[in-house]
């Protein structure tokens, strides 16, 4: 073939070269995205909007009734922090409670008792087929706001007050001698870790299963002894008392906090119950039968055979549910609980900094989601390794 | 033979592989393979698993990419040029070990899919050809059935019909009977024998030595990424030169 | 001693009603305890609820406001259009069921086209045109109540499905730029609460679009954009799961037989993947439907929004329980119906084509 013809063929073929086409496709896509973003930004600037995070140091000029102490002269970033802490409060407590309730319900759903199984079933069906916001509204407006007034409050031993103002609990408060007691607390943790490590080494040496957890409870003796050794009482029960129209002392759980917490726990637990049920059912029946034939007790079967395998199946969807709970906590804005989202909204309207605040919201929620995913993935991998 | 880019009408060499190398990451799976296949030849490639024999034929029809060396199919060079790749793929029909039939389509739809969408045939023309092919492989009555309703042997025969529907010049078989129950191997081999006797150019990766003895022109022993020995069947079994070939033969012929 | 012809019946406590009771409720002593405990619990709850529902509850708030619940601020004189649309839907549903059961192949395509036409007709009918006297315009902003909930749900579902598929394909693309972009989009939308996405759509869309377009973006339209984008991310993950389950051999067989990438995807891979993912995708759609209730927070009057507004009426102060219970029941009925339909669909497709 002549060289010119070959060269022409070479030039033509680059247009049909798959590597070139792939690179070209990506370049075109990237340019399109950049152009689109540039167009959006130019529209933004045409409106005279600016972009800066300086506003965070300005005064908030609004008050926050929930969470850490805050006053209207505090800066915006502190408000954001208060909101974040409130959300974390709800998320952490919510996840723990929802897991407990969800597991109990899931196991109940598998019970041989027809009544128990169906009560759990009805609960799950109703909760899953109703939007979470409807449940929150019902709980907040129709239940909690219907609680008796402070005058007619329900009093439980403690004392614990239940009224429309929320729940007032007796809460331990540290006194001057608390500083002397603190070393005993830290010592208890060290002793507990030490006992646990000792039991693990013992198990490895004697090659016989040795119980670990019950022994670590011995460490509780340390703070107990410390309590008597320290002059006075390190903790002092702060009791709520009604003075006129207010409650003084104790810790208050606001009605909004109760509504969002209880609502989220009940809602998420229904989904967790299904996840747990699927996990347990996925463990083949033959295994429990074989174990039973070998003489294992029901408790041992549950602990050694069913749960380890079920947990591996349960964890990934469980992560989704935890993330759902954290994201749903933003609905607090609908019932007036000042979580991260509610506070951010106020910040947004007050300062007019729409884009900046939204970026902060996204960053905060993405971080929380990532953290939960990371922690659970570590747990997941650890449990998998234990079997392997 | 410098001018391998010969005019298509007179191509006696259907496949030419020159010093073909391929790596999977660090693993050197094809180590300088040189292979020539003429029109009408039937070649059987055998060898231990992991030797790279499946990878070789998958590289020739571009299911895998080779990093070094040249491959020519019917005069067309296998490069990154998408037109070349497309043309080569239409020349070669492939039958897989696990059939890979499309489970959501009936047998006849499996066969007519490519002719309709790639060659742009009318539905009627495609169906007529498909029915003829299904008859040729011996299962015309299964045309409207879904793959899940067919036995393994029947599925593989549909797969062969599907590959033939595009009227390829070369047929590749990648361990076509390895996933079949023993009683179904014969029906598939019979189809392949009939194809071979009809003059189709074929490369068959298999352990079925009976088939090899009956119709193939050459048996290639492939090991560790390259051709170790090749011979017509008559000489392959009795006059094996390499030690590795003899070991392999002793392993597969004793059952 | 029994002979071969003697029939011995099992003891009375093993079979029939008594047998069932023994096995399911009283098999062990703590089982019996649980049974009594739950019976007490159930009767207590049922008694309380029934007593409230029949005597204490003021159901008038629901009955007098029923029109508001259903269609919100839609003008009373035009409600006949809503009834007409409902009628059309019911007719289409019956036709679809009949065609499906009788499995008339040719009619299937006709039915699908008919659905599209009906949908367009309904939109026109309900929205109307500015000047026509017969069907005056009722802008979407006025739609509220259950009508808005259904509209948001349907639009969200229909729009997020193709977008989700495209995102899923993008995430699995071999081109790094596209893959990174799709992954980032999906993860960012999923990691952020839906209410946040909604607010962003409401507040930020007008900021980033030129003044001429943003003026015409009604609240409802912005909410639709937010819901669609959010749902599309979740649909994308479901579709991705389905795509991952397709064995590599299917791609290879498709390429080997000469089909190019696009054909392989459309003719071979997607049909199989989507069929496998139907339960998960329908689950996502039911979630979307429930999530439409969140628009109350951005000020739209869907079913929940109307419910909340009604509790503010001076005539019906304090009727939160009745109103929210009513809204809950409506959601419950519609969601359960959708779950039931999806289960039937699964069974139908599973048995039919395999």
């Amino acid at each position: 073939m002549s060289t010119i013809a070959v060269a022409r063929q070479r030039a033509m073929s680059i247009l049909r070269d798959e590597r070139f086409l792939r690179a070209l496709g990506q370049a075109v896509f990237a340019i399109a995205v950049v152009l689109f973003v540039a167009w959006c930004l130019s529209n933004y600037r045409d409106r005279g909007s600016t972009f800066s995070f300086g506003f965070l140091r300005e005064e908030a000029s609004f008050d926050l009734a929930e969470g850490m102490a805050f006053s209207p002269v505090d800066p915006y970033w502190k408000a954001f922090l208060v909101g974040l802490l409130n959300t974390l409060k709800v998320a952490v407590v919510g996840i723990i409670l929802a897991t407990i309730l969800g597991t109990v319900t899931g196991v109940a759903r598998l019970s041989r008792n027809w009544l128990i199984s169906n009560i759990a079933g009805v609960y799950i069906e109703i909760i899953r087929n109703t939007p979470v916001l409807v449940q929150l509204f019902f709980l907040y407006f129709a239940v909690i706001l219907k609680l008796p007034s402070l005058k007619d409050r329900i009093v439980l031993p403690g004392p614990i007050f239940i009224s429309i103002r929320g729940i007032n609990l007796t809460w331990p408060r540290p006194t001057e001698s608390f500083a002397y007691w603190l070393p005993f607390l830290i010592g208890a943790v060290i002793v507990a870790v030490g006992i646990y490590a000792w039991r693990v080494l013992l198990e490895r040496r004697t090659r016989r299963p040795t119980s670990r957890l019950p022994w670590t409870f011995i460490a509780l003796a340390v703070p107990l002894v410390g309590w008597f050794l320290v002059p006075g009482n390190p903790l002092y029960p702060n009791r709520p008392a009604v003075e006129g129209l207010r409650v003084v002392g104790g810790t208050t759980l606001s009605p909004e906090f109760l509504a969002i917490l209880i609502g989220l726990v009940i809602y998420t637990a229904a989904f967790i119950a299904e996840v747990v049920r699927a996990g347990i059912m996925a463990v083949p029946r033959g295994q429990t039968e074989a174990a039973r034939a070998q003489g294992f007790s029901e408790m041992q079967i549950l602990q050694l055979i069913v749960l380890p395998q079920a947990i591996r199946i349960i964890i990934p969807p469980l992560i989704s549910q935890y993330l759902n709970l954290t994201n749903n906590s933003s609905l607090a804005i609908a019932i007036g609980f000042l979580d991260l989202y509610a506070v951010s909204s106020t910040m947004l309207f007050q300062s007019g900094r729409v884009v900046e605040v939204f970026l902060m919201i996204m960053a905060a929620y993405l971080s929380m989601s990532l953290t939960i995913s990371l922690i659970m993935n570590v747990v997941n991998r650890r449990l998998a390794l234990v079997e392997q | 033979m410098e001018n391998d880019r010969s005019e298509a009408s007179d191509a006696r060499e259907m496949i030419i592989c020159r010093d073909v190398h391929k790596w999977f990451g660090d693993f050197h799976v094809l180590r300088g393979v040189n292979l020539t296949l003429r029109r009408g030849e039937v070649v059987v490639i055998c060898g231990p698993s992991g030797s790279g024999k499946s990878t070789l034929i998958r590289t020739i029809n571009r299911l895998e990419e080779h990093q070094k060396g040249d491959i020519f199919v019917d005069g067309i060079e296998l490069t990154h040029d998408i037109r070349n790749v497309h043309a080569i793929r239409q020349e070669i029909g492939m039958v897989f070990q696990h059939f890979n039939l499309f489970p959501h389509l009936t047998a006849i739809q499996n066969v007519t899919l490519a002719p309709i969408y790639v060659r742009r045939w009318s539905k009627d023309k495609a169906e007529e050809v498909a029915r003829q092919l299904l008859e040729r492989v011996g299962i015309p009555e299964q045309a409207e059935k879904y793959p899940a309703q067919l036995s393994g042997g029947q599925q593989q025969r549909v797969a062969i019909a599907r590959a033939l529907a595009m009227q390829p010049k070369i047929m590749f078989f990648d361990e076509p009977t390895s996933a079949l129950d023993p009683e179904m191997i014969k029906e598939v081999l019979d189809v392949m024998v009939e194809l071979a006797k009809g003059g189709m150019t074929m490369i068959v990766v298999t352990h079925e030595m009976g088939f090899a003895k009956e119709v193939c022109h050459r048996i290639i022993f492939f090991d560790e990424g390259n051709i170790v020995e090749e011979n017509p069947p008559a000489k392959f079994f009795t006059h094996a030169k390499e030690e590795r070939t003899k070991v392999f033969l002793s392993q597969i012929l004793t059952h | 001693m029994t002979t071969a012809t003697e029939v011995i019946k099992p003891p009375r406590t093993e079979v029939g009603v008594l047998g069932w009771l023994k096995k399911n409720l009283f098999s062990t002593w703590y089982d019996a305890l649980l049974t009594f405990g739950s019976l007490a619990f159930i009767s207590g709850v049922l008694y309380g609820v029934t007593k409230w529902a029949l005597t204490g509850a003021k159901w008038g708030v629901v009955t007098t406001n029923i029109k508001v619940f259903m269609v919100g601020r839609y003008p009373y004189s035009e409600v006949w259009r809503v009834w007409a649309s409902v009628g059309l839907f019911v007719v289409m549903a019956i036709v679809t069921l009949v065609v499906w059961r009788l499995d008339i192949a040719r009619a299937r395509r006709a039915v699908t086209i008919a659905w599209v036409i009906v949908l367009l007709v309904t939109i026109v009918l309900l929205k109307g045109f500015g000047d026509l006297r017969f069907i005056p315009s009722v802008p979407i902003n006025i739609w509220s109540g259950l009508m808005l909930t259904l509209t948001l749900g349907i639009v969200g579902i229909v729009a997020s499905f193709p977008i989700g598929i495209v995102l899923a394909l993008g995430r699995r693309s071999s081109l790094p730029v596209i893959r990174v972009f799709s992954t980032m989009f999906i993860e960012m939308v999923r990691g952020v609460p839906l209410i946040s996405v909604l607010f962003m759509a409401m507040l930020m869309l007008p900021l980033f679009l030129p003044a001429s377009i943003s003026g015409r973006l009604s609240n409802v339209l912005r909410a639709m954009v937010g819901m669609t984008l959010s749902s599309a991310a979740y649909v994308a993950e479901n579709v991705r799961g389905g795509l991952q389950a397709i064995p590599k051999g299917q791609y290879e067989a498709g390429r080997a037989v000469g089909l190019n990438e696009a054909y392989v995807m459309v003719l071979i891979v997607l049909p199989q993947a989507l069929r496998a993912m139907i339960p998960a995708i329908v689950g996502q759609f039911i979630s979307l439907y429930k999530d439409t209730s969140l628009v109350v927070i951005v000020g739209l009057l869907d079913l929940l929004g109307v419910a909340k507004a009604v509790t503010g009426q001076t005539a019906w102060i304090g009727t939160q329980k009745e109103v929210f219970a009513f809204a809950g029941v409506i959601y419950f009925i519609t969601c359960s119906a959708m779950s039931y339909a999806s289960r039937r669909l699964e069974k139908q497709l599973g048995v039919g084509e395999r």
Side-chain angles (χ1 to χ4, degrees):
Chain A
M1 275 198 194
S2 75
T3 37
I4 299 179
V6 171
R8 201 180 298 147
Q9 194 162 49
R10 284 269 154 79
M12 261 205 308
S13 67
I14 192 169
L15 282 175
R16 301 195 306 250
D17 188 329
E18 57 190 10
R19 293 168 301 183
F20 174 74
L21 288 174
R22 285 160 62 106
L24 186 67
Q26 293 184 71
V28 165
F29 181 77
I31 292 177
V33 170
V34 168
L35 280 178
F36 179 72
V37 171
W39 179 64
C40 289
L41 287 179
S42 77
N43 289 327
Y44 186 73
R45 248 169 300 156
D46 284 345
R47 292 169 175 276
S49 319
T50 51
F51 185 86
S52 97
F53 279 103
F55 76 100
L56 285 174
R57 273 187 284 250
E58 293 170 11
E59 275 182 17
S61 327
F62 57 86
D63 201 0
L64 293 176
E66 183 86 44
M68 253 168 43
F70 186 84
S71 79
V73 294
D74 283 325
Y76 278 117
W77 63 262
K78 191 152 180 239
F80 191 77
L81 197 64
V82 173
L84 182 62
L85 286 175
N86 287 341
T87 291
L88 285 175
K89 228 187 344 181
V90 170
V92 171
V93 177
I95 286 179
I96 297 176
L97 290 179
T99 311
I100 297 177
L101 180 59
T103 313
V104 167
T105 313
V107 171
R109 187 86 180 91
L110 291 169
S111 162
R112 262 182 313 184
N113 186 318
W114 183 85
L115 267 180
I116 298 276
S117 163
N118 281 75
I119 292 179
V122 165
Y123 157 64
I124 293 176
E125 278 309 297
I126 293 183
I127 298 293
R128 275 160 56 105
N129 281 321
T130 325
V132 59
L133 196 54
V134 173
Q135 296 177 32
L136 276 178
F137 274 175
F138 189 84
L139 197 61
Y140 184 63
F141 290 112
V143 174
I144 293 191
L145 287 187
K146 291 290 167 74
L147 286 172
S149 69
L150 196 57
K151 206 165 30 111
D152 308 316
R153 65 190 176 280
I154 305 172
V155 183
L156 294 176
I160 301 178
F161 299 153
I162 302 180
S163 71
I164 195 176
R165 304 281 195 90
I167 295 185
N168 304 91
L169 296 169
T170 306
W171 201 249
R173 196 198 287 178
T175 60
E176 304 89 34
S177 43
F178 185 77
Y180 298 107
W181 195 53
L182 195 59
F184 284 97
L185 278 180
I186 302 176
V189 174
I190 300 177
V191 168
V193 170
I195 292 181
Y196 193 82
W198 165 62
R199 301 298 292 178
V200 169
L201 286 173
L202 193 65
E203 174 165 323
R204 224 169 273 178
R205 213 162 4 109
T206 60
R207 308 278 192 102
R208 267 205 258 125
T210 22
S211 61
R212 301 178 225 173
L213 214 52
W215 284 77
T216 55
F217 281 113
I218 297 179
L220 285 177
V222 175
L224 213 60
V225 165
W227 187 286
F228 291 108
L229 289 181
V230 160
N233 283 332
L235 291 175
Y236 154 78
N238 191 352
R239 296 200 173 81
V242 177
E243 282 176 20
L245 292 173
R246 300 188 309 132
V247 175
V248 208
T251 302
T252 313
L253 301 174
S254 68
E256 289 78 21
F257 176 73
L258 288 172
I260 189 89
L261 184 68
I262 297 177
L264 281 180
V265 166
I266 294 182
Y267 184 73
T268 317
F271 289 87
I272 292 184
E274 284 294 277
V275 168
V276 167
R277 186 170 77 105
I280 295 184
M281 276 172 54
V283 179
R285 250 279 206 86
Q287 305 219 358
T288 35
E289 292 182 344
R292 212 172 284 146
Q294 291 218 295
F296 282 101
S297 76
E298 292 295 328
M299 205 64 221
Q300 283 176 311
I301 295 180
L302 198 66
Q303 255 185 306
L304 299 170
I305 295 168
V306 174
L307 276 184
Q309 297 186 62
I311 286 189
R312 269 192 296 170
I313 302 180
I314 289 175
I315 289 201
L318 195 64
I319 299 181
S320 296
Q321 291 309 322
Y322 288 172
L323 293 177
N324 277 346
L325 191 146
T326 313
N327 279 349
N328 281 338
S329 69
S330 60
L331 293 176
I333 191 177
I335 55 171
F337 177 72
L338 293 161
D339 76 320
L340 172 67
Y341 191 76
V343 170
S344 305
S345 285
T346 316
M347 274 169 62
L348 194 153
F349 286 116
Q350 191 90 333
S351 68
R353 299 257 152 223
V354 177
V355 179
E356 293 87 336
V357 171
F358 268 124
L359 281 174
M360 287 167 66
I361 294 177
M362 283 178 64
Y365 275 104
L366 279 175
S367 319
M368 284 194 280
S369 301
L370 273 170
T371 314
I372 294 182
S373 295
L374 265 165
I375 296 180
M376 294 306 290
N377 275 322
V378 167
V379 171
N380 199 10
R381 228 173 308 147
R382 263 236 71 210
L383 284 170
L385 278 176
V386 169
E387 270 81 61
Q388 250 74 340
Chain B
M1 302 273 263
E2 281 303 75
N3 190 13
D4 291 304
R5 217 182 258 263
S6 42
E7 305 306 278
S9 55
D10 214 10
R12 305 302 325 280
E13 276 92 19
M14 295 299 286
I15 295 185
I16 301 174
C17 292
R18 267 205 313 238
D19 195 36
V20 172
H21 288 260
K22 178 168 175 53
W23 286 263
F24 276 131
D26 272 342
F27 175 50
H28 197 173
V29 60
L30 294 177
R31 306 184 192 204
V33 179
N34 290 289
L35 174 69
T36 311
L37 191 71
R38 270 171 281 280
R39 184 190 293 255
E41 262 199 286
V42 175
V43 166
V44 163
I45 305 183
C46 63
S49 48
S51 56
K53 43 192 204 300
S54 288
T55 312
L56 177 64
I57 62 173
R58 288 159 61 91
T59 307
I60 299 177
N61 82 341
R62 199 47 159 216
L63 286 175
E64 310 280 355
E65 226 177 273
H66 63 288
Q67 279 94 22
K68 201 172 151 207
D70 306 309
I71 299 180
F72 293 88
V73 176
D74 200 16
I76 310 172
E77 187 181 357
L78 182 61
T79 58
H80 288 287
D81 190 328
I82 51 177
R83 265 216 256 170
N84 285 10
V85 174
H86 193 64
I88 287 177
R89 284 230 179 93
Q90 293 193 43
E91 304 261 335
I92 305 180
M94 179 120 178
V95 177
F96 297 86
Q97 180 177 2
H98 295 285
F99 334 137
N100 288 339
L101 288 181
F102 308 133
H104 60 297
L105 302 174
T106 61
I108 193 161
Q109 285 170 337
N110 262 275
V111 179
T112 57
L113 187 73
I116 292 178
Y117 285 96
V118 181
R119 304 245 177 177
R120 308 234 160 256
W121 290 358
S122 73
K123 190 152 177 260
D124 293 322
K125 177 176 177 205
E127 273 198 14
E128 195 189 313
V129 170
R131 284 192 200 278
Q132 284 170 0
L133 284 171
L134 284 176
E135 173 133 14
R136 189 170 161 194
V137 299
I139 40 171
E141 72 284 357
Q142 310 289 357
E144 310 295 335
K145 293 242 180 89
Y146 285 95
Q149 299 167 301
L150 303 173
S151 74
Q154 291 169 328
Q155 289 188 49
Q156 192 64 299
R157 287 190 275 161
V158 173
I160 296 178
R162 178 177 68 177
L164 289 173
M166 290 293 280
Q167 299 173 329
K169 298 208 184 90
I170 312 167
M171 283 286 278
F172 282 177
F173 291 82
D174 188 0
E175 308 223 28
T177 55
S178 301
L180 294 175
D181 288 336
E183 63 268 18
M184 292 191 260
I185 294 183
K186 179 176 185 311
E187 63 196 51
V188 173
L189 287 180
D190 284 345
V191 170
M192 289 163 65
V193 163
E194 186 248 322
L195 261 181
K197 289 193 173 149
M200 174 66 78
T201 317
M202 291 162 63
I203 299 186
V204 183
V205 174
T206 185
H207 296 297
E208 295 289 330
M209 291 304 154
F211 169 79
K213 275 190 227 173
E214 191 174 343
V215 284
C216 83
H217 300 99
R218 258 191 297 163
I219 304 184
I220 295 178
F221 177 61
F222 206 86
D223 190 21
E224 286 183 2
N226 213 335
I227 297 176
V228 174
E229 199 171 330
E230 55 184 306
N231 260 323
K235 286 199 6 219
F236 185 80
F237 294 109
T238 49
H239 290 79
K241 276 183 279 179
E242 300 289 326
E243 193 54 43
R244 281 185 284 170
T245 322
K246 294 190 200 155
V247 169
F248 178 72
L249 282 174
S250 69
Q251 284 169 339
I252 61 165
L253 289 179
T254 50
H255 69 266
Chain C
M1 213 175 66
T2 60
T3 64
T5 49
E6 248 182 78
V7 174
I8 309 185
K9 292 220 183 89
R12 274 200 57 220
T13 51
E14 290 297 313
V15 292
V17 178
L18 279 180
W20 180 89
L21 277 177
K22 178 160 178 247
K23 192 156 87 89
N24 289 303
L25 296 178
F26 299 102
S27 51
T28 64
W29 65 268
Y30 65 80
D31 212 23
L33 216 66
L34 279 175
T35 304
F36 284 125
S38 10
L39 275 175
F41 173 73
I42 296 179
S43 33
V45 166
L46 276 179
Y47 179 68
V49 169
T50 329
K51 183 157 171 256
W52 167 76
L54 291 177
T55 53
K58 288 191 264 183
W59 292 112
V61 67
V62 170
T63 46
T64 45
N65 284 307
I66 192 77
K67 178 240 171 205
V68 178
F69 276 113
M70 292 298 139
V71 295
R73 288 178 293 165
Y74 208 85
Y76 205 72
S77 53
E78 310 298 321
V79 167
W80 66 268
R81 284 148 72 172
V82 179
W83 284 115
S85 313
V86 170
L88 265 173
F89 274 127
V90 168
V91 166
M92 279 305 300
I94 297 180
V95 167
T96 316
L97 242 118
V98 165
V99 167
W100 207 338
R101 277 296 167 79
L102 296 183
D103 207 14
I104 313 165
R106 240 15 82 122
R108 278 222 188 137
R109 189 176 278 188
V111 165
T112 322
I113 300 182
W115 266 111
V116 174
I117 297 181
V118 163
L119 273 171
L120 290 172
V121 164
T122 322
I123 295 177
V124 168
L125 186 65
L126 290 173
K127 191 154 180 294
F129 286 99
D131 300 326
L132 267 95
R133 278 219 307 181
F134 196 38
I135 36 171
S137 145
V138 182
I140 299 191
N141 255 338
I142 305 273
W143 298 15
S144 15
L146 183 59
M147 199 166 108
L148 182 63
T149 297
L150 288 174
T151 308
L152 285 172
I154 294 178
V155 169
I157 289 172
V158 168
S160 65
F161 193 57
I163 299 181
I165 295 181
V166 167
L167 278 172
L169 292 175
R171 188 161 181 176
R172 282 171 55 87
S173 164
S174 49
L175 305 177
V177 167
I178 297 185
R179 188 172 60 232
V180 165
F181 180 78
S182 307
T183 310
M184 268 183 29
F185 182 85
I186 294 176
E187 290 305 323
M188 287 205 329
V189 170
R190 282 188 354 139
V192 171
L194 174 58
I195 185 69
S196 179
V197 175
L198 271 180
F199 255 109
M200 283 199 269
M202 302 297 286
L203 296 173
M204 295 218 290
L205 269 184
L207 287 185
F208 287 105
L209 293 172
S212 51
I213 301 185
S214 63
R216 287 196 275 151
L217 277 178
S218 66
N219 274 345
V220 174
L221 213 58
R222 283 183 250 169
M224 279 184 189
V225 169
M227 303 231 60
T228 304
L229 285 179
S230 168
S231 178
Y234 287 94
V235 169
E237 284 298 280
N238 285 333
V239 172
R240 185 170 80 108
L243 288 174
Q244 274 177 329
I246 305 293
K248 197 158 157 245
Q250 292 289 306
Y251 288 96
E252 293 184 345
R255 306 294 260 124
V257 99
L259 295 163
N260 65 23
E261 292 274 2
Y263 273 134
V264 169
M265 195 51 70
V266 169
L267 296 173
I268 298 170
V269 176
L270 273 181
Q272 296 183 54
L274 290 176
R275 191 164 307 190
M277 292 318 295
I278 282 185
I281 294 182
V282 172
Q284 170 55 29
F285 288 159
I286 297 182
S287 291
L288 174 72
Y289 174 74
K290 286 193 296 174
D291 287 338
T292 57
S293 60
L294 262 65
V295 299
V296 65
I297 302 182
V298 295
L300 269 77
L301 289 169
D302 71 320
L303 177 62
L304 190 58
V306 161
K308 191 149 184 277
V310 162
T311 60
Q313 290 176 349
T314 40
W316 301 106
I317 289 273
T319 53
Q320 283 96 345
K321 276 204 196 110
E322 292 85 340
V323 166
F324 290 129
F326 175 67
V329 165
I330 299 222
Y331 276 112
F332 181 75
I333 295 177
T334 33
C335 283
S336 303
M338 283 194 274
S339 301
Y340 177 70
S342 108
R343 277 197 294 260
R344 290 295 302 270
L345 185 72
E346 269 178 69
K347 228 186 290 184
Q348 177 90 339
L349 283 175
V351 172
E353 320 268 342
R354 294 293 166 129

